Amino acid sequence: MKITLLNEPASKKPSKTIENTNLIKEFVDVDYDVMSERILYRLTVSRHVDRKLIYILAIVLGASLWGTIGVFSNELEIRGLSAMQVTMVRCIVTVAILFLAILIIDRKGLRIDPKDIWMFLGSGVLGIVTFNVLYFEEVRIGCPLSMVAVLLYTAPLFVLVLSYFIFKEKMGKKKIVAAVIAFAGCALTAGILGSGGDFNFTGFLMGIGSGFGYALYTIFSKFALKKYNPLTLTFYTFLLAGLALCR
């Protein structure tokens, strides 16, 4: 009897303790899961916002720097350099800086498959050389820098059309309307309408040609970026462009 009486309370107390412990554990576990989900969600949203902001700032900074090209190229041409020479100088400086950057960041970025050389020839020779030479030549013959810069940005129109045929991308009504509006804006800025006798038709054709060259650079770059990082792409693009200009 004593053994039974001593065992009964002993069996009951652990059961209550275990039950209470399980309840507390369950409560803590549920609360922890909820808090974890909330924290992870906030971190994810925060990172998404931060990345989006970085992308926007990168685009704005890139466009701002791009707008200064005409200023420096104009100064170089005043000092006697031709459009070809200005483009070569740009390629040499770019290659030198990127070479050092790749050595510091990741030397593997200098490795490419010889079978992929066509990508870099397309982005470098057909793209960079074409749009740079025409762009700088347009500046040399005296076209306004605003016209030169704006006509270069007819490139998205060419990219839209080329992507439709090459990558089979859809061309919806919104894209077509946007393309028409963009081209009309470029035409107005270039002075096709209301310019009287001051319109430079040769400069206009060079501007359209530079836009097409930039579009080719974009198209070939899309092929290369599927396999290589941006530093590798830019390095070999400007390297081959510079070599093509050597004579």
Side-chain angles (χ1 to χ4, degrees):
M1 292 296 292
K2 290 182 179 180
I3 295 174
T4 304
L5 290 173
L6 288 172
N7 285 340
E8 285 180 357
S11 62
K12 290 180 180 179
K13 287 181 180 179
S15 64
K16 289 182 179 179
T17 304
I18 293 171
E19 183 179 355
N20 292 335
T21 302
N22 289 336
L23 288 173
I24 294 172
K25 185 179 179 182
E26 182 179 354
F27 173 78
V28 172
D29 288 343
V30 172
D31 187 61
Y32 175 77
D33 291 339
V34 172
M35 292 300 295
S36 298
E37 289 179 3
R38 290 179 179 177
I39 293 172
L40 289 173
Y41 174 76
R42 290 180 180 178
L43 288 174
T44 303
V45 172
S46 177
R47 289 178 181 177
H48 177 71
V49 172
D50 291 342
R51 286 182 179 181
K52 187 176 181 180
L53 180 61
I54 291 173
Y55 296 154
I56 294 174
L57 292 176
I59 293 172
V60 173
L61 179 60
S64 300
L65 293 174
W66 189 268
T68 64
I69 294 178
V71 177
F72 291 106
S73 64
N74 190 38
E75 184 64 27
L76 289 172
E77 288 174 356
I78 290 175
R79 296 176 182 274
L81 275 70
S82 66
M84 297 280 283
Q85 291 171 328
V86 172
T87 304
M88 187 183 299
V89 169
R90 185 186 178 199
C91 291
I92 292 172
V93 173
T94 302
V95 168
I97 294 174
L98 288 178
F99 181 73
L100 293 176
I102 294 174
L103 285 180
I104 296 172
I105 298 172
D106 185 8
R107 296 187 178 185
K108 293 181 180 178
L110 294 173
R111 300 176 184 174
I112 61 170
D113 189 339
K115 295 180 181 179
D116 298 328
I117 197 69
W118 65 271
M119 301 178 187
F120 304 104
L121 285 172
S123 61
V125 179
L126 298 180
I128 291 294
V129 173
T130 299
F131 95 73
N132 272 274
V133 171
L134 291 175
Y135 182 94
F136 295 138
E137 187 64 23
E138 193 179 1
V139 174
R140 188 191 67 79
I141 64 176
C143 294
L145 292 180
S146 58
M147 170 183 168
V148 174
V150 168
L151 289 179
L152 177 61
Y153 281 99
T154 56
L157 306 180
F158 294 114
V159 171
L160 182 66
V161 176
L162 292 173
S163 296
Y164 175 77
F165 291 103
I166 297 174
F167 301 114
K168 306 302 179 182
E169 294 183 1
K170 294 181 179 180
M171 188 184 296
K173 293 181 180 179
K174 291 183 179 180
K175 288 184 178 181
I176 295 175
V177 172
V180 172
I181 294 175
F183 184 79
C186 291
L188 290 171
T189 305
I192 294 178
L193 301 177
S195 61
D198 298 330
F199 176 68
N200 191 325
F201 185 70
T202 302
F204 176 76
L205 291 180
M206 288 183 178
I208 296 297
S210 67
F212 182 71
Y214 190 54
L216 292 178
Y217 167 67
T218 304
I219 294 295
F220 282 101
S221 294
K222 185 171 182 176
F223 282 110
L225 287 173
K226 293 179 180 179
K227 188 173 181 179
Y228 301 98
N229 64 55
L231 282 178
T232 302
L233 165 64
T234 308
F235 174 76
Y236 281 102
T237 292
F238 279 87
L239 176 62
L240 293 176
L243 292 175
L245 292 169
C246 293
R247 53 180 181 177

